[in-house]
Amino acid sequence: MNQTPLILSTWRFGQIANRAGWAILSQGGNALDAAEAGCRAVEEDPSVTSVGFGGYPDAAGEVTLDALIMAAPHRCGAVACVRDYLPAISIARRVMEKTPHVLLVGPGAEAFAAAEGFPQRSLLTREAREAWQRWKQEHGGNIFDKHSGDNSLAQDAHDTIGVLALDVEGRIAGGCSTSGLPFKLPGRVGDSPLVGHGLYVDPEVGGAVGTGHGELIMRVCGTFLIVEEMRKGSSPTAAIKTALERINRQCRPNPRQQAAFIALRRDGEWSAGCLRKGFQVAVRSAKVDTLMEPPLVLMDGE
Ligand code: ASP
């Protein structure tokens, strides 16, 4: 499974990311640009209701975005709980390139985006607003019982775009971007913008990106764990299995909660895995352009 260049992305809409990223990688461009372009393309697509423009809002009706970009422990940047500015992945990249910080949140991140020249715009589409209104009617706006993880709409609509890219020079970079769980408690931030939780990249080893219930992934430092397992010699599949088993054993996921990962080693070997069926990985290289089931489903048959 190892080819260079290569781009891997989460979920069906990962194909949108791969198309944008591949346009860069296939021309000899670098992995960081490809990861950013991939996330950006999905953020700008209003039909994707879990990322960027068109993402479902929080319980108060506000769309808030989380994103992280990473090429190495000394090259990463993130934003969380950002309203009214897009693309979150590009704001995260500016945090990395223009500040001594790693993570900016809320109004501070928005002020930074404005100062960097990102235009202010509403991220709430009519479709997303109507979905929020339906949710309020059906659930009386009661968010607290939703955090048991039994919110069926949340189950259907959450999904982060996560991208791992490997360029012709052998550089690895990753990006992830999400509007988080739909109708979340205002202020809630998941795994995605947190280094080592939603995404981790170490050029000495490789990278991993996660998606699914952030509350599961961020309890075990999911992507950091995977990269550390690969550092010790595990294959990408075995490393993902370790993280999924840890989540299953220690985080008590309910039967409807998903966690999924993609891992890419610096030699180009990669894998993907999830707690239960439903996750797909989009893969693109010079030889392959496909959407596939992950090689590992921890609880097959559920
Ligand atoms: N992990 C994201 C979050 O918890 C959502 C997802 O990937 O489905 O915010």
Side-chain angles (χ1 to χ4, degrees), residues 10-11 13 50-51 66 154-155 157-162 177-182 184 188-193 198 210-218 258 260:
T10 53
W11 306 106
F13 53 63
S50 52
V51 178
D66 304 330
Q155 293 289 326
H158 73 82
D159 292 338
T160 297
I161 180 63
S177 178
T178 186
S179 50
L181 299 183
K184 61 197 174 186
R188 180 266 187 192
V189 170
D191 59 312
S192 304
T211 179
H213 274 83
E215 282 74 5
L216 298 177
I217 296 168
M218 66 204 289
Q258 177 66 291

